[in-house]
Amino acid sequence: MRNISKIYRTALKKYPVGTQAVQAGILMGLGDQIAQNFIESGPKAIDYVRTMQFAGIGLFISGPATRTWYGILDKYIGSKGYIVGIKKVVCDQLLFAPTFIAVLLVAIGFCQGKDIKGLKTKLLNEYSDILINNYKLWPMVQLMNFSLVSLNYQALVVQSVALLWNSYISYRTSLDKHDEFIQI
C-alpha cells in the first residue's frame, strides 16, 4: 500500500492535472456504476457505454477543469485558512459551479445523442434542480477542502465526495429518457 501511495504522490507532483484527470475519470465511471446498480430501479442490463461516457467526461472535462480552477483560486486568493476558504467557496459556488453544471449537462446530453433542441430541453429540465442540490452539498465540502487541504489533494477530496454526487448526476440525467419534456 505504501508503494501505491508513493507512486500516486509522485505522479501528483509531476503531473497534477493528468493524475487528477485520470482519478476523476475513474471516480465518475464508478459513480455511474453505483447509479446503475444501486439507485435505478428494476432489473436491466448494465449500460457500459454510458459508464465509459461518464468516465470520459471525468477524464477530459471534470478532472482538468477542477484542478485548473483550484490552481487559479490558489494563485489569486491564497492557499489555506478559514477566510481564504470562505473567499474560495464564494468564487467556486458563484462562478465555477453554475458554469460547470451547464457544461456537464451539455456533455452528458451530447453523449446521449441530443441535438441542439434536445440540449436546450435537457438544460431546462435538469439545470435548476441540480444547481439547487449542488448548493445543499458543496459549500460545506468546499469550505473544509479549501481551508484545510493542500492544492494537490483538493481535487481528490472533491472527487471522493463526488463519487456519490456523480451517482446522483448519472441517475438524474438518465431520467429524461423516460420523462415528458418541456418543449422549447
Side-chain angles (χ1 to χ4, degrees), residues 43-64:
K44 63 179 186 117
I46 299 297
D47 185 347
Y48 291 106
V49 170
R50 185 176 112 182
T51 299
M52 293 309 296
Q53 289 170 337
F54 262 81
I57 290 168
L59 178 66
F60 296 110
I61 298 172
S62 181

Side-chain angles (χ1 to χ4, degrees), residues 13-78:
K13 284 183 181 180
K14 287 178 97 170
Y15 312 104
V17 175
T19 302
Q20 292 172 0
V22 170
Q23 170 181 289
I26 291 168
L27 291 173
M28 281 194 74
L30 187 56
D32 177 68
Q33 280 296 298
I34 290 170
Q36 288 190 53
N37 285 291
F38 301 109
I39 299 172
E40 296 172 15
S41 60
K44 63 179 186 117
I46 299 297
D47 185 347
Y48 291 106
V49 170
R50 185 176 112 182
T51 299
M52 293 309 296
Q53 289 170 337
F54 262 81
I57 290 168
L59 178 66
F60 296 110
I61 298 172
S62 181
T66 55
R67 176 53 176 85
T68 301
W69 173 244
Y70 296 163
I72 291 167
L73 290 176
D74 206 62
K75 179 178 179 179
Y76 292 103
I77 297 176

Side-chain angles (χ1 to χ4, degrees), residues 1-167:
M1 189 66 165
R2 282 187 180 159
N3 287 339
I4 293 172
S5 178
K6 184 177 179 180
I7 291 168
Y8 174 75
R9 285 192 316 267
T10 302
L12 198 54
K13 284 183 181 180
K14 287 178 97 170
Y15 312 104
V17 175
T19 302
Q20 292 172 0
V22 170
Q23 170 181 289
I26 291 168
L27 291 173
M28 281 194 74
L30 187 56
D32 177 68
Q33 280 296 298
I34 290 170
Q36 288 190 53
N37 285 291
F38 301 109
I39 299 172
E40 296 172 15
S41 60
K44 63 179 186 117
I46 299 297
D47 185 347
Y48 291 106
V49 170
R50 185 176 112 182
T51 299
M52 293 309 296
Q53 289 170 337
F54 262 81
I57 290 168
L59 178 66
F60 296 110
I61 298 172
S62 181
T66 55
R67 176 53 176 85
T68 301
W69 173 244
Y70 296 163
I72 291 167
L73 290 176
D74 206 62
K75 179 178 179 179
Y76 292 103
I77 297 176
S79 294
K80 287 186 186 174
Y82 186 70
I83 298 301
V84 167
I86 289 173
K87 289 177 183 179
K88 285 181 173 183
V89 168
V90 169
C91 288
D92 187 62
Q93 294 302 301
L94 294 179
L95 301 174
F96 185 78
T99 305
F100 184 74
I101 289 169
V103 168
L104 183 64
L105 289 174
V106 168
I108 292 168
F110 180 75
C111 289
Q112 292 172 338
K114 300 204 181 309
D115 59 10
I116 296 296
K117 184 178 179 183
L119 292 173
K120 286 180 182 178
T121 301
K122 182 170 213 44
L123 285 168
L124 186 62
N125 287 343
E126 299 172 14
Y127 181 80
S128 295
D129 286 343
I130 291 173
L131 185 62
I132 288 166
N133 285 323
N134 168 84
Y135 289 138
K136 293 175 185 177
L137 171 66
W138 289 108
M140 286 308 297
V141 170
Q142 291 293 50
L143 182 59
M144 291 186 301
N145 191 29
F146 292 143
S147 299
L148 304 172
V149 179
S150 67
L151 175 62
N152 274 347
Y153 296 98
Q154 287 174 357
L156 176 61
V157 169
V158 165
Q159 291 163 3
S160 296
V161 174
L163 185 58
L164 295 176
W165 177 254
N166 294 335
S167 299

